[in-house]
Amino acid sequence: MVDKMDHLYAVLDDLDDDLQAMQEDLEAVLLLLKDGEIKKAQTILEEMNSFLIDFLEPEEGCECDDEECECYVIEEGDGDGEEPEEKPAAKPEKPAPKKK
């Protein structure tokens, strides 16, 4: 259980670092747009978009489709000392189509 908690904290630290970097990138984009550097701003936004698409895709070994999802979410136990059960995760929502 301790290993799972350590892993969770490491993932959250990585996510925090990624979000801070994205915030800095967005601030840079705003400055570029203010200065009229539209092409440079567009390039940064495209890179951020690619990162988010890669980040939000299911991990390897996690086969999800419309019919059945092989992913599992581990829920915390109820404090009785027993290991928590693995339960099937909710089906992932399909992303909204991009607006032009």
Side-chain angles (χ1 to χ4, degrees):
M1 184 63 159
V2 173
D3 290 337
K4 290 179 185 177
M5 293 300 293
D6 289 342
H7 176 71
L8 180 60
Y9 283 120
V11 169
L12 289 174
D13 285 341
D14 290 344
L15 181 60
D16 185 50
D17 292 342
D18 291 338
L19 291 174
Q20 287 177 357
M22 289 176 63
Q23 180 181 1
E24 292 170 5
D25 289 345
L26 286 172
E27 290 170 353
V29 166
L30 290 174
L31 290 174
L32 289 169
L33 290 173
K34 185 177 180 180
D35 294 340
E37 300 282 343
I38 296 171
K39 291 279 187 187
K40 290 180 183 179
Q42 184 178 8
T43 301
I44 292 173
L45 290 173
E46 287 172 353
E47 290 173 3
M48 289 175 66
N49 186 50
S50 295
F51 170 79
L52 286 172
I53 288 170
D54 290 342
F55 181 79
L56 295 173
E57 285 182 351
E59 294 181 20
E60 289 184 33
C62 182
E63 309 253 342
C64 296
D65 59 19
D66 291 338
E67 297 293 322
E68 184 177 320
C69 185
E70 298 291 325
C71 304
Y72 290 91
V73 174
I74 299 175
E75 295 182 3
E76 288 191 34
D78 56 8
D80 60 3
E82 293 183 18
E83 288 292 317
E85 294 181 23
E86 289 186 356
K87 297 187 179 182
K91 290 183 183 177
E93 294 183 23
K94 293 184 180 182
K98 295 180 182 177
K99 295 181 181 179
K100 293 184 180 182

